[in-house]
């Protein structure tokens, strides 16, 4: 109980700290779309590209649903009562 209260892991469970690569890639992915990163920098090592792409995708089901919506912001003529 004391270990759980302190946030310690059970015996036998080892947690590695996040790598600097993952921290940096996550921060880049939070701020810029990958396309902008590609356009801005001439050479990006492949492992760095992979981590940025990994962190660019949403993590929660709610975010996945929000970003996978087909709504482009334009008014749908069928939904607005117009003829298609």
């Amino acid at each position: 109980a004391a270990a759980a209260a302190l946030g310690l892991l059970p015996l036998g469970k080892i947690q590695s700290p996040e790598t600097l690569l993952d921290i940096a890639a996550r921060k880049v992915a939070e701020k810029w779309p990958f396309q902008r990163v590609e356009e801005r920098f001439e050479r990006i090592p492949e492992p760095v590209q992979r981590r940025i792409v990994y962190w660019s995708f949403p993590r929660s089901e709610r975010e996945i649903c929000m970003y996978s919506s087909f709504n482009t912001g334009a008014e749908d003529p069928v939904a607005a009562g117009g003829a298609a």
Side-chain angles (χ1 to χ4, degrees):
L6 293 173
L8 300 176
L9 296 171
L11 289 175
K13 295 283 184 173
I14 298 173
Q15 184 177 7
S16 299
E18 220 174 352
T19 65
L20 184 57
L21 172 58
D22 271 329
I23 294 168
R26 188 178 71 238
K27 292 299 179 184
V28 167
E30 288 172 0
K31 300 278 183 189
W32 299 289
F34 185 71
Q35 180 180 355
R36 179 149 313 148
V37 174
E38 281 186 312
E39 291 169 352
R40 165 95 183 188
F41 301 101
E42 289 182 26
R43 294 185 204 156
I44 304 169
E46 191 174 332
V48 175
Q49 289 180 27
R50 278 190 260 137
R51 296 317 295 166
I52 294 172
V53 169
Y54 172 80
W55 287 109
S56 293
F57 286 96
R59 300 279 165 247
S60 72
E61 185 176 342
R62 184 182 140 271
E63 288 177 327
I64 291 169
C65 290
M66 182 173 70
Y67 289 111
S68 64
S69 170
F70 289 109
N71 185 1
T72 61
E75 188 175 324
D76 183 4
V78 175

